[in-house]
Amino acid sequence: MPTAFLDDIRATLAQIEAEGLYKRERLIASPQSTRVQVAGREVINLCANNYLGLANHPALVEAATQAMQAHGFGMASVRFICGTHGLHRTLETRLAEYLGTEDSILFAACFDANGALFEPLLGPEDAVVSDALNHASIIDGIRLCKARRYRYANSDMSDLEAQLQAARDGGARHIMIATDGVFSMDGYLAKLPEIRALADQYGAALMVDDCHATGFMGPQGRGTPAHLGVRADILTGTLGKALGGALGGYIAGPQPVIDLLRQRARPYLFSNALPPAIVAAGIAALDLVEAADDLRAQLFDNAAYWRAGLSAAGFDLLEGEHPIIPVMLHDAHRAQAMAARLFELGIYVSGFFFPVVPRGKARIRTQMNAALTRADLDQALAAFTQAGHDTGVLS
Ligand SMILES: *Cc1c(COP(=O)(O)O)cnc(C)c1O
């Protein structure tokens, strides 16, 4: 590569480092779990999206192993050429039944599902109205479509209405509202009842990305819309969080939507089919999750206990009911220092700072998990208190 080109890249890296924004990855030497082996020791993990503790569940390992033995390793094809196994259609049907939609379509990841969704459905005469804090993959998916784009301030319903009106005034043929079900940096739920009412008032379709809710929010864990008693027209989600934690994404919705996506969605047409082991484990995850009221109760019990403990210790938390519980530290260096001290004390958490959250809003995002015990949480609370004092976060 030309030296000047590489020099510019090195300068960018140095800038990231100087601002305290450089992310370093820790190497895990055990299965993903509430306690993991890192750097030769065991630490309590409070930053995985392993909400129901299924990431290393024996039933999923077994389903994946059996599927690999029976159906082989890879499909070596996109779905439409020769990559569709019966398992794919079973999982798509099961997801649609679970989510209460007519059908669903699998992708390699929800990032791809969100990248796939907008471009085939919306043309230049249409409009998409999107929450400002939507996940990067929604933002990128919207960038790829030709619809006119309107953005509303996070969960600001009067701004949403203003943007819908602007879309209407702009002559939009069809309007789609796009929102995360849960804003994952904050753990806030979208105001879906109000959003649905505005969607109906303006004749708009409602798309909800429910990655941080499917499997554990609402009845049978059917997600944020079910939790709030609202119908979403189109749902996107992941198998990489509560539903097993490996990978895979999907879009669920009305039959014509899914049919058109199968014809036109570029990440579907030009990217490989999910392997049988992953798909079979996804089906096993749904079997477990549909019957996992005990795990959901434990998850929310843990979240309440953890939140109350951190709050009593004097930490600045964001309010909420979700098992994402962010500890606000504001400054990126401080978030890094706190995470580093916590690691020394046997707690694995990650500092979040720009660009994943706005500058000045650095935090440690803790996430609860149904498999964490009271002993784990008490140990983690003691470590947080200690680290808070050691780093000057607590006085
Ligand atoms: C995690 C996440 C994604 C990406 O899901 P993957 O399957 O990991 O690609 C998309 N949207 C939201 C809201 C997420 O939290």
Side-chain angles (χ1 to χ4, degrees), residues 109-112 114 135 137 180 182 184 209 211-212 238 240-241 248-249:
C110 189
F111 204 102
D112 290 319
N114 288 334
H135 191 264
S137 55
D180 281 10
V182 175
S184 60
D209 172 346
C211 279
H212 279 282
T238 184
K241 293 182 174 126

Side-chain angles (χ1 to χ4, degrees), residues 28-195:
I28 297 182
S30 62
Q32 184 62 281
S33 187
T34 55
R35 288 175 184 258
V36 289
Q37 289 290 330
V38 185
R41 49 204 202 91
E42 186 184 87
V43 290
I44 296 177
N45 187 354
L46 298 183
C47 53
N49 299 308
N50 191 17
Y51 294 108
L52 297 175
L54 301 188
N56 189 33
H57 193 285
L60 303 197
V61 175
E62 178 63 19
T65 306
Q66 277 191 8
M68 189 146 15
Q69 294 293 349
H71 307 298
F73 179 60
M75 295 305 299
S77 172
V78 299
R79 288 283 300 275
F80 83 93
I81 297 177
C82 56
T84 298
H85 194 278
L87 287 166
H88 290 110
R89 280 307 294 155
T90 302
L91 179 53
E92 286 171 339
T93 307
R94 285 287 305 277
L95 280 166
E97 279 166 14
Y98 179 55
L99 299 167
T101 62
E102 287 176 2
D103 201 357
S104 80
I105 176 172
L106 291 169
F107 292 86
C110 189
F111 204 102
D112 290 319
N114 288 334
L117 176 68
F118 300 96
E119 191 257 345
L121 301 181
L122 301 166
E125 56 282 56
D126 301 317
V128 55
V129 182
S130 173
D131 189 289
L133 285 195
N134 276 343
H135 191 264
S137 55
I138 299 180
I139 295 168
D140 287 6
I142 291 171
R143 279 186 187 145
L144 292 170
C145 85
K146 296 205 169 59
R148 297 184 58 177
R149 299 166 210 165
Y150 299 84
R151 200 167 74 138
Y152 62 98
N154 177 233
S155 289
D156 180 333
M157 294 299 103
S158 57
D159 196 20
L160 170 57
E161 176 149 31
Q163 299 308 318
L164 285 166
Q165 189 59 53
R168 177 72 69 68
D169 293 344
R173 177 185 62 173
H174 304 305
I175 304 176
M176 187 184 294
I177 301 173
T179 182
D180 281 10
V182 175
F183 296 97
S184 60
M185 292 302 131
D186 300 322
Y188 293 159
L189 309 192
K191 295 177 180 166
L192 292 181
E194 291 96 322
I195 297 174

